[in-house]
Amino acid sequence: MAELINTFSWSFSAASDFEVCRRKRYWSKYAAWGGWDAKAPEIARTAYRLNKMDSRHTLQGRATEEAVRWVLGEKQAGRTRTVDEAYETAARPLLNGAWKQSKSGAWRADPKRNVCLHEHYYPELHPDLDPKWPEFLKEHVCLCVRNFMETVLPRLAEVRVEDEVTIEKMESFELDGLTVYAIPDYVYRQNGDWHIHDWKAGRPHPDHMKQLAIYGLWAQVKHGVPAEQIKVYIEYLKEGRVAMEPVTAAMLDEARALIVESSMDMADYLRDGDARKNKPLPREEWDMTPDRRICARCTFYELCKPEFEEA
Ligand code: SF4
């Protein structure tokens, strides 16, 4: 098998992590590389395992996404389903499986295929967590699915399967030689327009529209869709509200500028600033956030803890 190369790449989530804490990118992009191999150094295996960690928030998002995709598929097949059916069929198996995996410790041997939850791994970082959180999680997923059925599904009822755009698991496009990962939740074509939807099970954030603009850029660069034929929708499922914007050329220019600026900042942490070689500076050069509240939610807490204690 050809040797895997750790190439420099960009994604909105990687850029967000980098903004929050430089060290986080070091752990996830560089220290974790090769950590899937049982013969890799322990620190690489630990970083790789921690990089795969979930939390109740990410799990909630995944379960919601699974359920709304199921509801949508059923609708397209001519079947109208209930919230309970969606939860029982699509969300509950995922949540139960994740819970069992996390509790069993199966992720120690195979972190790629087994969920490890932050709440189980770092109980000391969740001192005030209500023990009923699994019930709240279920209620939250059901609320999101209900809102999806009431506010989103009617708008998507006419979309035919053949109008949907296939999104690869690691969907990406090339921008001046840089691989940019952009993985929208749901995209379809209608009358020449491209409609790009993102499901959000959590709270609104001002940066969400920037993320959607990156998806707009993906449609333009990879598929040649003119800006005026791209529409983006952030579906806030908890609130049952949509934020929609017609894309403009200026918006895509801003998205492009964001990628260029952010990737240059990231390259500053590489030897000779050389993104082609993509060799990281020593770990100590990657600044740690001074905000310990962010650390308390971070999957890499275990790796940074010795430095916190020294400080
Ligand atoms: S624990 Fe804190 S300092 Fe360490 S990577 Fe996470 S956010 Fe950064």
Side-chain angles (χ1 to χ4, degrees):
M1 200 174 100
E3 189 196 352
L4 291 170
I5 308 285
N6 190 2
T7 53
F8 188 81
S9 60
W10 190 92
S11 70
F12 190 82
S13 60
S16 302
D17 281 350
F18 179 76
E19 284 308 312
V20 165
C21 178
R22 302 321 200 209
R23 183 66 63 87
K24 206 169 175 180
R25 179 164 169 88
Y26 171 78
W27 292 131
S28 63
K29 178 74 179 166
Y30 299 101
W33 183 256
W36 54 83
D37 188 336
K39 295 194 216 86
E42 190 181 343
I43 194 148
R45 283 186 285 118
T46 304
Y48 176 76
R49 177 167 58 74
L50 297 180
N51 197 32
K52 297 282 171 206
M53 189 179 282
D54 268 295
S55 70
R56 66 190 191 282
H57 302 295
T58 57
L59 195 59
Q60 185 172 281
R62 283 172 47 202
T64 301
E65 187 180 338
E66 199 75 15
V68 301
R69 287 304 309 227
W70 183 80
V71 167
L72 186 57
E74 289 293 285
K75 187 75 180 170
Q76 286 170 326
R79 295 183 286 269
T80 298
R81 299 296 199 164
T82 64
V83 173
D84 284 348
E85 285 172 326
Y87 181 78
E88 291 297 324
T89 310
R92 190 161 177 248
L94 186 149
L95 294 172
N96 283 356
W99 180 275
K100 280 189 199 143
Q101 288 164 6
S102 184
K103 282 286 191 186
S104 74
W107 40 267
R108 285 204 182 274
D110 188 354
K112 190 174 176 188
R113 288 178 193 81
N114 292 283
V115 170
C116 170
L117 289 170
H118 199 275
E119 288 76 4
H120 291 157
Y121 194 76
Y122 294 120
E124 72 278 18
L125 299 179
H126 300 276
D128 302 322
L129 187 61
D130 192 317
K132 287 193 193 148
W133 69 264
E135 286 171 45
F136 300 149
L137 201 154
K138 176 186 173 182
E139 283 169 21
H140 188 107
V141 171
C142 287
L143 172 66
C144 288
V145 174
R146 181 170 298 109
N147 284 337
F148 175 84
M149 291 166 83
E150 288 174 3
T151 65
V152 185
L153 200 54
R155 284 186 272 123
L156 302 180
E158 304 301 317
V159 179
R160 300 172 308 168
V161 174
E162 54 269 37
D163 294 327
E164 294 178 346
V165 177
T166 303
I167 307 294
E168 301 297 334
K169 200 168 168 222
M170 294 302 285
E171 186 69 46
S172 66
F173 62 103
E174 295 295 310
L175 197 70
D176 304 327
L178 172 70
T179 300
V180 176
Y181 290 98
I183 312 171
D185 284 333
Y186 186 64
V187 184
Y188 65 93
R189 307 177 201 90
Q190 207 167 49
N191 304 322
D193 288 342
W194 279 47
H195 300 265
I196 301 175
H197 294 252
D198 213 45
W199 326 126
K200 298 285 185 205
R203 280 195 289 257
H205 190 283
D207 281 352
H208 286 161
M209 199 45 88
K210 288 187 192 165
Q211 181 185 13
L212 270 284
I214 303 292
Y215 297 161
L217 192 61
W218 158 81
Q220 186 196 52
V221 172
K222 187 160 182 178
H223 298 282
V225 188
E228 61 276 14
Q229 285 179 254
I230 304 168
K231 314 272 184 294
V232 293
Y233 308 77
I234 310 172
E235 308 285 0
Y236 289 114
L237 299 177
K238 184 175 170 225
E239 303 178 347
R241 158 176 98 76
V242 59
M244 182 265 177
E245 268 193 38
V247 170
T248 61
M251 197 170 159
L252 298 188
D253 286 347
E254 274 175 36
R256 190 182 282 264
L258 170 70
I259 294 170
V260 171
E261 193 181 331
S262 166
S263 55
M264 281 168 63
D265 288 347
M266 288 175 174
D268 281 346
Y269 286 78
L270 301 177
R271 266 194 248 155
D272 304 320
D274 188 341
R276 234 168 14 89
K277 290 192 183 144
N278 198 29
K279 299 291 178 207
L281 292 178
R283 184 183 75 207
E284 311 74 60
E285 301 288 329
W286 295 73
D287 312 312
M288 300 165 89
T289 177
D291 187 344
R292 291 290 172 267
R293 287 169 306 175
I294 292 172
C295 300
R297 298 195 301 272
C298 178
T299 61
F300 297 112
Y301 185 83
E302 176 181 332
L303 288 171
C304 291
K305 198 175 167 199
E307 283 181 62
F308 299 153
E309 286 167 355
E310 265 176 42

